[in-house]
Amino acid sequence: MSLVVVGSVAYDGVETPYGRVERMLGGACTYISLAASYFTKVNIVGVVGEDFAQEDIDLLAGRNIGLEGLERAPGKTFFWAGVYSEDMNDRTTLTTDLNVFADFDPKLPESYRNTPYLLLGNIQPGLQQNVRKQVNGTKAVAGDTMNLWINETRDELLETIKGWDVLLINDSEARLLTGQKNLKAAAKKILTMGPNTLIIKRGEYGAILFRGDYHFVAPAYLLHQVFDPTGAGDCFAAGFMGHLAAKELDLSDKSLDSRELARAVVYGSVMGSFCCEKFGVDRFRTLTRAEIDERYQEFRQFTSF
Amino acid sequence: MSLVVVGSVAYDGVETPYGRVERMLGGACTYISLAASYFTKVNIVGVVGEDFAQEDIDLLAGRNIGLEGLERAPGKTFFWAGVYSEDMNDRTTLTTDLNVFADFDPKLPESYRNTPYLLLGNIQPGLQQNVRKQVNGTKAVAGDTMNLWINETRDELLETIKGWDVLLINDSEARLLTGQKNLKAAAKKILTMGPNTLIIKRGEYGAILFRGDYHFVAPAYLLHQVFDPTGAGDCFAAGFMGHLAAKELDLSDKSLDSRELARAVVYGSVMGSFCCEKFGVDRFRTLTRAEIDERYQEFRQFTSF
């Protein structure tokens, strides 16, 4: 079943200990849609400028991603540049040129409005809320956010996530959002804020899913080399929602098999790991579904006891 | 089969965000022996001063821990005091009074010398090496170390671990020991240094076991509250070696079922989690084997997919 993805489409400049790329395709919507396209039909909503290259359109179209909601506006495409620390656990933003993204006011094409699955990339909560309202009955709405919105637009964010099934957040953000130091206590509190499912992302340590009294802990894949972690969290979200969409799972169903959610988390971890193997979205130029399934089986091997 | 444990027996002063205890039973040997006693017969080698309390002897003896190798020397017992950071991921040492531990030169009673399992707590590598030489053919020798010895007695440490089957170390120490930033690369290098099995401890994120081409990733248990993480790494080692001893597993056997090693890691994680639930060794005053097995089953629940 189809998945609508809303978020930034951008050009990024990235420097890691393994190299530097001045300008390449990026943005949450781009990463999510490419990664999710291995699981289900994806339609995107985003905005690009006049400089957006045909080869980048071709990459998305080549993965059968629906581009009806990709608006082209006068001006330049959103540009972000950053540099990663030696251990890649921190990054410093060097440039943020919002350009056409400054006036991004996502509107869903009529044909998207009955989408059963909606994934809201990390943008201003008010915009996420507007999008949510444009969608009719769904099986799962998931959204990402960040410390900036928790600190600066807290009330709006709290109002926004009330309409979500899944909140994706990292551990420090979960603590910031709830004021709870203990992760289990923070999770419990977030599950009273609207979402019926919470995913706490832990970077190189994996992720935890919480839902009711159930929780599932997934490790991250141990890579030989992390070239560029940009987009890994987005690809995680993509694998998770992609599996839900592929299996037509409905998160409002309280009797939903929790093992399917666990599998979705593992697919998230798998997609996050592939993302880091090359710069930007490069890994998705060659990645095959067979490789995804093979790595999923590897997860079984190194977590079974 | 019996396990000999060598290391510090101490009194600790500990302050965490949840409270403060001025003086309580501690030391790696104490934590390890208590935790391992739920799995197998344990005999300890350590030294205490004239101030070592009868009730602490009684606690160890009450868990059927062999005390023939616990020397009582003139002077005071080793005393350590430290304070944990708000998130408990860091601790600052306030006091280290080595006292009788300064001259600790562990000698194994004759009756210990055929022990099939030996666990060397974190002490000076030269002492660990002396102990190793006192033991005849074994099924598994494991040892812990720390950044201090990696930095200050590197050559001696490298010589020492050549005689071990298992090195237990945390992730930053693995990087420090090998000069490899990537954990998988660091592990590969360590497995050429002597040990056939490596366990990388990751604190609140769990642990990874490496052996040959096999690896197993275990999460840590999500506790409602971490009262005091002192000794958690020691209790992890205890659960791991305790399971090996209980199952009579021989690490020199190259065809050893890797699932059994994975189970040993999970028992390690289980024991580390119990350790954090109360101050010092207090949890072991009431812990039952049934509780351990119940938590082990919980690990299955939250890691299966």
Side-chain angles (χ1 to χ4, degrees):
Chain A
M1 291 177 122
S2 73
L3 169 68
V4 167
V5 177
V6 184
S8 59
V9 179
Y11 285 116
D12 290 346
V14 172
E15 188 177 341
T16 80
Y18 296 102
R20 186 175 163 205
V21 176
E22 296 239 352
R23 183 182 167 91
M24 62 185 177
L25 182 60
C29 182
T30 310
Y31 281 102
I32 295 170
S33 60
L34 286 169
S37 71
Y38 291 87
F39 296 85
T40 192
K41 168 68 183 171
V42 177
N43 293 305
I44 68 173
V45 177
V47 62
V48 294
E50 294 152 324
D51 58 344
F52 198 70
Q54 187 59 41
E55 62 174 342
D56 295 326
I57 292 283
D58 293 346
L59 176 66
L60 298 170
R63 296 269 344 135
N64 193 30
I65 293 165
L67 303 176
E68 191 187 341
L70 183 65
E71 186 191 343
R72 194 180 280 261
K76 284 188 169 179
T77 302
F78 177 22
F79 180 77
W80 173 86
V83 56
Y84 284 86
S85 63
E86 190 65 19
D87 67 2
M88 303 229 228
N89 286 327
D90 285 303
R91 72 178 186 195
T92 308
T93 291
L94 301 175
T95 313
T96 306
D97 293 335
L98 289 175
N99 300 327
V100 298
F101 196 64
D103 300 316
F104 183 44
D105 183 13
K107 284 193 186 58
L108 266 58
E110 199 55 43
S111 65
Y112 286 17
R113 301 198 173 203
N114 291 314
T115 186
Y117 297 93
L118 175 64
L119 178 43
L120 300 158
N122 171 29
I123 52 175
Q124 205 271 332
L127 297 179
Q128 291 174 321
Q129 202 178 0
N130 287 347
V131 173
R132 175 70 188 88
K133 286 178 184 163
Q134 295 171 45
V135 171
N136 302 319
T138 56
K139 291 186 188 292
V141 176
D144 190 9
T145 192
M146 70 189 292
N147 50 4
L148 176 73
W149 312 123
I150 297 172
N151 284 322
E152 298 193 1
T153 60
R154 189 183 181 83
D155 291 345
E156 203 172 15
L157 177 65
L158 289 175
E159 202 48 43
T160 300
I161 67 173
K162 280 185 189 165
W164 298 359
D165 296 292
V166 186
L167 172 64
L168 293 133
I169 199 170
N170 72 30
D171 40 8
S172 65
E173 290 161 355
R175 292 181 172 111
L176 182 66
L177 181 61
T178 60
Q180 296 283 344
K181 281 180 299 193
N182 180 279
L183 216 54
K184 214 166 179 175
K188 199 171 173 184
K189 194 161 175 184
I190 289 171
L191 289 179
T192 67
M193 292 176 169
N196 52 53
T197 306
L198 166 68
I199 293 175
I200 294 186
K201 296 178 287 179
R202 305 165 113 186
E204 64 168 313
Y205 300 111
I208 314 177
L209 174 141
F210 294 90
R211 179 177 161 96
D213 291 331
Y214 174 75
H215 77 281
F216 172 72
V217 187
Y221 187 78
L222 281 185
L223 288 163
H224 286 284
Q225 211 159 35
V226 175
F227 268 94
D228 173 12
T230 312
D234 296 321
C235 292
F236 177 95
F240 178 78
M241 284 296 276
H243 181 72
L244 296 193
K247 292 282 177 180
E248 306 189 6
L249 303 173
D250 186 340
L251 288 184
S252 65
D253 174 6
K254 286 188 178 166
S255 64
L256 188 64
D257 180 4
S258 53
R259 291 291 165 95
E260 283 296 350
L261 294 174
R263 288 173 197 137
V265 171
V266 173
Y267 276 114
S269 241
V270 165
M271 299 312 289
S273 74
F274 281 119
C275 179
C276 299
E277 289 185 342
K278 291 198 173 182
F279 267 93
V281 301
D282 276 359
R283 189 63 181 86
F284 300 109
R285 297 182 198 277
T286 59
L287 184 68
T288 64
R289 177 69 205 209
E291 288 178 297
I292 293 168
D293 293 333
E294 194 182 320
R295 186 158 294 180
Y296 180 88
Q297 291 306 325
E298 278 190 73
F299 268 79
R300 281 209 188 284
Q301 290 301 314
F302 67 71
T303 61
S304 296
F305 63 91
Chain B
M1 292 179 121
S2 74
L3 169 67
V4 167
V5 177
V6 183
S8 58
V9 179
Y11 285 116
D12 290 346
V14 172
E15 187 176 339
T16 81
Y18 296 102
R20 186 177 164 204
V21 175
E22 297 240 353
R23 183 182 168 90
M24 62 185 176
L25 182 61
C29 182
T30 310
Y31 280 102
I32 295 170
S33 60
L34 286 169
S37 71
Y38 290 88
F39 297 83
T40 193
K41 168 68 183 172
V42 178
N43 293 306
I44 68 173
V45 177
V47 61
V48 294
E50 294 154 324
D51 58 344
F52 198 69
Q54 186 59 41
E55 61 173 342
D56 295 327
I57 293 281
D58 293 345
L59 175 68
L60 298 169
R63 296 273 339 139
N64 193 30
I65 294 165
L67 303 177
E68 192 188 341
L70 184 65
E71 186 191 342
R72 194 180 280 261
K76 283 188 169 178
T77 301
F78 179 22
F79 180 77
W80 173 86
V83 55
Y84 284 86
S85 63
E86 190 64 21
D87 67 2
M88 303 231 229
N89 286 326
D90 286 303
R91 72 177 185 195
T92 307
T93 292
L94 302 175
T95 313
T96 306
D97 293 335
L98 289 175
N99 300 328
V100 298
F101 196 63
D103 299 315
F104 184 44
D105 183 13
K107 283 192 189 58
L108 266 59
E110 199 56 42
S111 64
Y112 287 18
R113 296 192 180 210
N114 291 313
T115 185
Y117 297 93
L118 174 64
L119 178 43
L120 300 158
N122 170 30
I123 53 175
Q124 205 271 330
L127 297 180
Q128 292 175 320
Q129 202 178 358
N130 288 346
V131 173
R132 175 70 188 88
K133 286 177 184 163
Q134 295 171 46
V135 171
N136 303 319
T138 56
K139 291 184 187 293
V141 176
D144 190 10
T145 191
M146 71 189 293
N147 50 4
L148 175 73
W149 311 122
I150 297 172
N151 284 322
E152 298 193 2
T153 60
R154 189 183 180 83
D155 292 343
E156 202 172 16
L157 177 65
L158 289 175
E159 202 48 43
T160 300
I161 67 174
K162 279 184 189 167
W164 298 359
D165 296 292
V166 187
L167 173 66
L168 293 132
I169 200 171
N170 73 31
D171 40 8
S172 66
E173 289 160 356
R175 292 184 171 107
L176 181 66
L177 182 61
T178 61
Q180 295 284 345
K181 280 181 300 195
N182 180 278
L183 216 53
K184 215 166 178 173
K188 200 173 172 182
K189 195 161 176 183
I190 290 172
L191 290 178
T192 68
M193 293 176 169
N196 53 51
T197 305
L198 167 68
I199 292 176
I200 294 186
K201 297 178 287 179
R202 306 165 112 186
E204 65 169 311
Y205 300 110
I208 314 178
L209 174 140
F210 294 91
R211 179 176 160 94
D213 292 331
Y214 174 74
H215 77 281
F216 172 72
V217 187
Y221 187 79
L222 282 184
L223 287 163
H224 286 284
Q225 212 159 34
V226 175
F227 267 94
D228 173 11
T230 312
D234 296 319
C235 293
F236 177 95
F240 179 78
M241 285 296 276
H243 181 71
L244 296 193
K247 292 281 177 181
E248 305 188 9
L249 303 173
D250 186 341
L251 288 184
S252 67
D253 175 6
K254 285 188 178 168
S255 65
L256 188 64
D257 180 5
S258 53
R259 290 294 163 91
E260 283 297 350
L261 293 175
R263 289 173 198 137
V265 172
V266 173
Y267 276 114
S269 241
V270 165
M271 298 313 290
S273 74
F274 281 120
C275 178
C276 298
E277 289 185 343
K278 290 198 172 180
F279 267 93
V281 300
D282 276 359
R283 189 63 181 86
F284 299 110
R285 296 182 199 276
T286 58
L287 184 68
T288 64
R289 177 69 205 209
E291 287 178 297
I292 293 168
D293 293 333
E294 193 182 322
R295 186 158 294 180
Y296 180 88
Q297 290 307 325
E298 277 190 75
F299 268 78
R300 281 210 188 283
Q301 289 300 314
F302 67 71
T303 61
S304 296
F305 61 92

